[in-house]
Amino acid sequence: MFSTSIGRKIVMAVTGCCMLLFAIVHLLGNSSIFAGAVGLNSYAQHLHSLPLPIIMAFRAVMLGLFLVHVLYGIQLTIENRTATPTSYAVKVSRKTTFASENMIWTGLLLGAFIVYHLLHFTFRVTPGLTLVNDAAGHFNVFAMVASSFSSFAGAGLYAAAMVVLFLHLYHGIQSFFQTMGWNCDCIQPKITTAGMLVALVLLLGYVSIPLSIFFGILKG
Ligand code: HEM
């Protein structure tokens, strides 16, 4: 669709920003779990009671954003690797970090996690799930989440995925400002710090859920 690589970078920046907003809102919603089974189940009940066309339109938009972001990410990585062969006589040194060097891998791992996460909690087709109703006869989301994170494997997988999310966002947020041209040398360190803090808040917020359940801090 976009023939120039800057066009594709801008699309990646905008789609990435929309998904970051979703990640922030999703974490705020998920934090209702700290109000126990009643908190999370009433939040889930509220979401499920939204009109179906709104839910489906939201899912279609999210899927579109996700697919465009992944496909352009793969395309840009291939372009960059073909454009900068490692056999240059003079190696130009750019300021890189582990996160910036591995965006494609953290992105692909995150994509794989999101597919698993949807099969797990949205489509509920992964093995060993606790699928029961609560006292009011509504699906008990809390029981499903709590039983999933009561095992080391379940909690550990989500905690590891959130570290990957942190690495991806740590570089992704500052890269967004760079692509949009909303940076300069004077504010670059502030943007880097702010991006790191946002990524860290999301890491700690998300990781606190599986860990609180695994260590028995959070009970229904
Ligand atoms: C500890 C971490 C997380 C927990 C406990 C969690 C929990 C959940 C739950 C319970 C649902 C199903 C809600 C329902 O249908 O009632 C859900 C759906 C979803 N989650 Fe997460 N989530 C986590 C992390 C993430 C992350 C990092 C992302 C990606 C940024 C993400 C993306 C989604 C998406 C796209 C859906 C589907 C929304 C829909 O139904 O349309 N989740 N999550």
Side-chain angles (χ1 to χ4, degrees), residues 99-188:
S100 70
E101 291 279 281
N102 292 287
M103 283 302 275
I104 185 66
W105 301 117
T106 52
L108 290 174
L109 280 172
L110 211 51
F113 164 75
I114 290 169
V115 171
Y116 170 76
H117 181 52
L118 293 179
L119 295 172
H120 190 198
F121 286 160
T122 299
F123 298 107
R124 299 164 192 160
V125 291
T126 56
L129 277 176
T130 301
L131 304 176
V132 290
N133 285 350
D134 62 15
H138 299 127
F139 180 67
N140 194 335
V141 177
F142 182 89
M144 172 182 72
V145 173
S147 66
S148 301
F149 295 155
S150 61
S151 73
F152 178 76
L157 177 80
Y158 270 72
M162 295 310 109
V163 173
V164 175
L165 175 71
F166 167 79
L167 289 171
H168 199 74
L169 291 180
Y170 172 51
H171 180 72
I173 293 173
Q174 54 175 295
S175 183
F176 168 84
F177 286 94
Q178 204 171 353
T179 301
M180 304 308 279
W182 296 340
N183 70 339
C184 65
D185 284 351
C186 51
I187 56 160
Q188 185 57 45

Side-chain angles (χ1 to χ4, degrees), residues 19-20 22-24 26-27 30 33 40 43-45 47-48 55 58-59 62 110 113-114 117-118 121-122 124 139 141 144-145 149 158-159 161-162 165 205-210 213:
M19 290 192 288
L20 169 64
F22 170 80
I24 294 171
H26 190 49
L27 174 59
N30 283 348
I33 199 167
L40 185 67
Y43 169 67
Q45 182 55 33
L47 286 184
H48 294 166
I55 297 179
F58 169 77
R59 288 179 172 169
M62 288 302 296
L110 211 51
F113 164 75
I114 290 169
H117 181 52
L118 293 179
F121 286 160
T122 299
R124 299 164 192 160
F139 180 67
V141 177
M144 172 182 72
V145 173
F149 295 155
Y158 270 72
M162 295 310 109
L165 175 71
Y206 273 121
V207 103
S208 66
I209 299 173
I213 291 170

Side-chain angles (χ1 to χ4, degrees), residues 6 12 24 40 49 52 62-63 93 95 122 126 148 154 219:
I6 186 63
M12 284 207 68
I24 294 171
L40 185 67
S49 65
L52 192 60
M62 288 302 296
L63 182 65
S93 108
K95 207 175 163 200
T122 299
T126 56
S148 301
K219 299 183 183 102

